[in-house]
Amino acid sequence: MQQKLIFSGLLLVALSAASQPNYNMQQMSREQLNRGVVAIRNDQQVIVSWRTLTSDAKGQPFNVYRNGEKLNHEPLTKGGTFFIDNNPLPTAATYEVQGGSANGRYTLHSDAPNGYLTIPLQKPADGETPDGRQYRYSANDASVGDVDGDGQYEIILKWDPSNSHDNAHDGYTGPTLFDCYRLDGTLLWRINLGINIRSGAHYTPFIVYDLDGDGKAEMIVRTSDGTIDSKGKVIGDPEADYRHKGPDKIGRILTGKEYITVFNGLTGEAMDTKPYIPERGDPKGWGDNKANRSDRMLAAVGYLDGKKASAIFCRGYYTRSVLAAWDWDGHELKSRWVFDTNNPEWASYAGQGNHNLRVADVDGDGCDEITYGSMAVDHDGRGLYNTGMGHGDAIHLMAFDPKSRELQVWDCHENRRDGSDFRNARTGEVIFQVPSTSDVGRAMAADIDPTNPGVEMWSADSHGIRNIKGEIINIAKDADDPQHHNYLMLGGRWLPMNFGIWWDGDLLREMLDRGRVSKYNWQNHTIEDIVTFPGIVFNNGTKSNPCLAADILGDWREEVIARTPDSSELRIFVSPIPTDYRINCLMEDIPYRLSTATQNVGYNQPSEPGFYLGPDETVNPFLK
């Protein structure tokens, strides 16, 4: 297969531009995490893991106690924040970690399962659509936020009806529901978006974050007439029914009022509601008359002023695209700015959006920018750059080069022309590009090879794994089989390109796909399985996503939240593998935290930090 590689300028110039994340942490309103202690059974052992925080000193001593008895002989000052109890009690035991400014404890019950935590769920009742079709619910995407200010995350879970639809399909759907659970399984609230918000991957992105700086997270989401908050209060007209009755376009929502609502994270009560920006208007103004283009929604959160977080809610990416930034002061939602490609100044930015987006300070001004597919919008709502390469399904933004904290973007495109591109996140300058006549639907980036500097990249038509210079370091067969369009064939195995995860204790990243963690063997050029998680299924069809994967507990490795097949419980899998590395909790890194908050948006993407994390010599500030 002949390939064409395009370079723009010198790589060293592109990678040495004077832009890197430059947040003023002293003035930013951020969540204050606790020690995050967790204990899990691992066969005949108990694994205890806890967070290192940015407030901890280098080499911070820690001591581990079980029911008040100290387990370590000397203070733990080196290696990871990870301890193995080789002689655990058969009964319940409380493990406590002391050290630094935050102590923490976790009670492990005698019947705790092996390798994971369980969160029992209260599954919603089945329902029936107006045309007499039955539907049932399954646990879908999740997010986390500290809704009560105690330093520990709660889980906000979206319930997806079995008749949820892609925008391209007709049909009624059941309403989307949201629950908030404590880690012990306590249900705090349930919200019902109602019949006038269609269910599916592109309709209901939701943001969970502390927007007013009071130390407690809120949830903000698009609503409509008939949305019901946790206390039974109905937003707007409870009798309104905007669903199209047919004969064609049945179940689609082509007209009607839409709102944006901020809900109290602890109680689930609606606190303020405003008209959604932009309004739908005539669906044909977005590219068709079926709401396929007009109801493509995205959402994000970012520090647009460098101090407090703002929510960004969006509409459209195939044609017209609108991004609307909102501020919440604890009393009222206020519009900060609106970016609209119908504005002649930004007309060339139309049609550049992805099924997802990224937020980070890409130009070093201390404020966040929004990378919206092939374009970017500055923190003040003005266009930053536009490559013109159009729509794609996957995007990755992080520091790819171990010698720099500058951010780059690896993006793929579906126009059967532009393939995949690696570019400067500040300017959009293309560092290298792999054009393609195929629909390149997926792309992945992770440091998986310690013999090759920096983060590696691959896509559905990249012809193999590439380094930051664009060179192929391992030739692979492209996945022209439509059943495997999320993969490359490598050494007789498909190389996943859905999710990355730090799991096994070294600084390389593993791959997470279809309930399995696998690792690239750079010596044999093969893919090897590390663990297959028991008793769970992943979501969203071929996208194969967990409910959430992020560093929400314990040390710096990432946990996997997934549902059982019957959605009776969530399981949180924690790595039982020792690690020698102390790295601050990744959720304290702003780009990583913001990408976790948007993991549920559109086609889910893995969380990624704003610094290089890998085995190469590095300038990253999180290693301790």
Side-chain angles (χ1 to χ4, degrees):
M1 181 181 297
Q2 187 176 11
Q3 59 172 300
K4 182 180 180 184
L5 190 63
I6 296 177
F7 287 86
S8 177
L10 294 174
L11 178 68
L12 292 179
V13 173
L15 289 180
S16 61
S19 64
Q20 61 181 13
N22 189 31
Y23 300 106
N24 184 341
M25 298 298 184
Q26 301 301 316
Q27 70 176 10
M28 295 181 74
S29 173
R30 299 184 297 137
E31 59 195 3
Q32 300 299 311
L33 297 176
N34 64 17
R35 191 56 72 188
V37 176
V38 64
I40 60 166
R41 297 195 183 278
N42 183 44
D43 296 328
Q44 303 303 312
Q45 303 171 328
V46 167
I47 302 300
V48 185
S49 180
W50 62 96
R51 292 181 181 124
T52 303
L53 301 170
T54 54
S55 59
D56 291 327
K58 186 174 183 178
Q60 173 65 54
F62 292 105
N63 292 303
V64 180
Y65 298 83
R66 184 188 62 211
N67 293 345
E69 177 185 358
K70 186 177 176 182
L71 298 181
N72 54 297
H73 298 295
E74 299 292 335
L76 306 175
T77 60
K78 297 180 181 179
T81 50
F82 184 96
F83 183 85
I84 299 175
D85 181 2
N86 287 308
N87 298 291
L89 301 176
T91 58
T94 296
Y95 289 88
E96 183 173 5
V97 175
Q98 294 184 3
S101 59
N103 299 332
R105 63 178 60 193
Y106 184 90
T107 298
L108 184 69
H109 297 290
S110 58
D111 60 349
N114 196 58
Y116 59 88
L117 315 180
T118 61
I119 300 178
L121 300 177
Q122 297 186 30
K123 186 177 180 179
D126 297 346
E128 183 177 303
T129 56
D131 55 357
R133 298 172 185 256
Q134 300 289 316
Y135 61 86
R136 61 189 182 280
Y137 281 95
S138 61
N140 193 253
D141 292 329
S143 190
V144 292
D146 180 7
V147 303
D148 56 10
D150 66 353
Q152 176 170 282
Y153 288 125
E154 283 72 43
I155 296 175
I156 291 77
L157 176 69
K158 182 177 79 169
W159 287 100
D160 209 32
S162 56
N163 58 0
S164 64
H165 279 300
D166 185 88
N167 299 55
H169 303 150
D170 294 347
Y172 290 108
T173 73
T176 298
L177 309 177
F178 288 98
D179 285 357
C180 180
Y181 292 92
R182 296 194 189 276
L183 295 185
D184 65 2
T186 301
L187 175 63
L188 295 180
W189 48 257
R190 173 167 290 170
I191 293 167
N192 185 332
L193 291 188
I195 62 174
N196 293 315
I197 297 290
R198 207 166 184 237
S199 294
H202 307 296
Y203 298 102
T204 53
F206 59 101
I207 293 300
V208 179
Y209 211 84
D210 179 12
L211 299 171
D212 59 2
D214 68 350
K216 301 177 182 180
E218 294 82 33
M219 186 180 86
I220 184 168
V221 68
R222 184 174 68 106
T223 58
S224 184
D225 289 330
T227 295
I228 307 170
D229 77 2
S230 63
K231 303 299 182 182
K233 178 183 176 182
V234 178
I235 294 172
D237 180 2
E239 303 300 323
D241 185 348
Y242 301 131
R243 296 172 295 181
H244 195 72
K245 303 302 188 294
D248 62 343
K249 308 175 192 174
I250 187 169
R252 293 180 180 269
I253 299 174
L254 308 173
T255 61
K257 295 180 179 179
E258 300 170 287
Y259 313 109
I260 185 168
T261 301
V262 58
F263 294 90
N264 186 296
L266 181 59
T267 68
E269 295 176 86
M271 295 190 289
D272 194 25
T273 296
K274 291 289 193 294
Y276 192 85
I277 298 175
E279 62 181 11
R280 178 188 295 107
D282 184 349
K284 289 185 289 186
W286 300 86
D288 61 48
N289 65 355
K290 294 185 177 182
N292 184 20
R293 298 292 189 261
S294 62
D295 276 11
R296 299 281 179 165
M297 308 293 182
L298 299 174
V301 61
Y303 292 85
L304 303 180
D305 64 359
K307 298 177 181 178
K308 288 180 65 176
S310 300
I312 304 106
F313 276 74
C314 318
R315 178 175 234 132
Y317 38 78
Y318 290 117
T319 51
R320 180 188 179 191
S321 298
V322 181
L323 288 71
W326 294 89
D327 293 335
W328 167 249
D329 62 4
H331 303 283
E332 184 181 7
L333 273 172
K334 296 180 181 179
S335 174
R336 173 177 281 268
W337 51 250
V338 178
F339 174 93
D340 190 344
T341 59
N342 272 4
N343 180 339
E345 185 176 8
W346 312 120
S348 66
Y349 283 63
Q352 303 303 313
N354 273 29
H355 284 296
N356 28 61
L357 72 177
R358 291 292 187 185
V359 179
D361 174 19
V362 301
D363 58 9
D365 64 359
C367 303
D368 283 319
E369 287 74 42
I370 302 100
T371 300
Y372 200 79
S374 293
M375 70 178 192
V377 175
D378 210 344
H379 67 275
D380 58 1
R382 296 185 57 79
L384 186 65
Y385 72 77
N386 172 25
T387 70
M389 292 186 185
H391 166 75
D393 280 6
I395 190 168
H396 303 277
L397 185 153
M398 64 185 112
F400 285 68
D401 179 16
K403 300 297 184 182
S404 170
R405 286 202 67 198
E406 185 193 9
L407 303 180
Q408 295 90 31
V409 173
W410 173 239
D411 195 9
C412 63
H413 312 283
E414 292 190 322
N415 56 19
R416 303 181 184 275
R417 180 192 68 205
D418 290 307
S420 311
D421 77 288
F422 182 54
R423 66 180 185 263
N424 184 296
R426 173 177 57 89
T427 66
E429 177 186 6
V430 176
I431 300 168
F432 73 81
Q433 182 184 357
V434 187
S436 176
T437 57
S438 300
D439 175 336
V440 182
R442 300 295 282 174
M444 182 59 194
D447 195 342
I448 60 175
D449 185 346
T451 66
N452 184 71
V455 171
E456 286 76 45
M457 292 158 269
W458 59 101
S459 73
D461 198 17
S462 62
H463 316 296
I465 302 171
R466 294 184 181 262
N467 62 21
I468 58 176
K469 296 180 181 180
E471 301 164 337
I472 296 179
I473 63 170
N474 194 347
I475 297 175
K477 178 184 177 182
D478 299 323
D480 50 6
D481 177 358
Q483 295 298 316
H484 295 91
H485 66 281
N486 291 347
Y487 303 84
L488 289 174
M489 178 65 81
L490 188 70
R493 286 276 307 268
W494 294 107
L495 175 65
M497 59 184 77
N498 270 352
F499 257 61
I501 185 170
W502 282 287
W503 181 264
D504 70 356
D506 64 24
L507 295 179
L508 293 170
R509 208 169 196 194
E510 288 71 55
M511 291 159 285
L512 176 65
D513 185 39
R514 300 183 184 277
R516 178 187 301 119
V517 175
S518 59
K519 193 175 187 72
Y520 173 65
N521 185 321
W522 65 91
Q523 296 172 314
N524 300 326
H525 307 296
T526 57
I527 310 301
E528 299 175 354
D529 293 341
I530 295 178
V531 62
T532 297
F533 299 122
I536 57 92
V537 291
F538 274 17
N539 294 323
N540 303 324
T542 61
K543 300 301 180 286
S544 181
N545 308 126
C547 298
L548 185 74
D551 178 18
I552 65 167
L553 284 169
D555 64 30
W556 60 278
R557 270 89 58 81
E558 295 171 296
E559 288 67 53
V560 175
I561 305 177
R563 64 180 174 93
T564 55
D566 63 358
S567 290
S568 62
E569 69 180 37
L570 294 180
R571 294 182 177 180
I572 304 178
F573 294 92
V574 180
S575 178
I577 304 172
T579 180
D580 292 330
Y581 297 97
R582 279 196 184 188
I583 300 175
N584 291 337
C585 176
L586 296 182
M587 293 289 257
E588 291 194 302
D589 175 66
I590 299 301
Y592 184 94
R593 181 66 183 91
L594 300 181
S595 61
T596 300
T598 60
Q599 199 177 113
N600 68 80
V601 174
Y603 293 163
N604 307 39
Q605 297 287 272
S607 301
E608 292 165 339
F611 59 89
Y612 169 80
L613 177 54
D616 298 305
E617 184 180 348
T618 177
V619 294
N620 100 51
F622 266 49
L623 283 172
K624 283 188 174 178

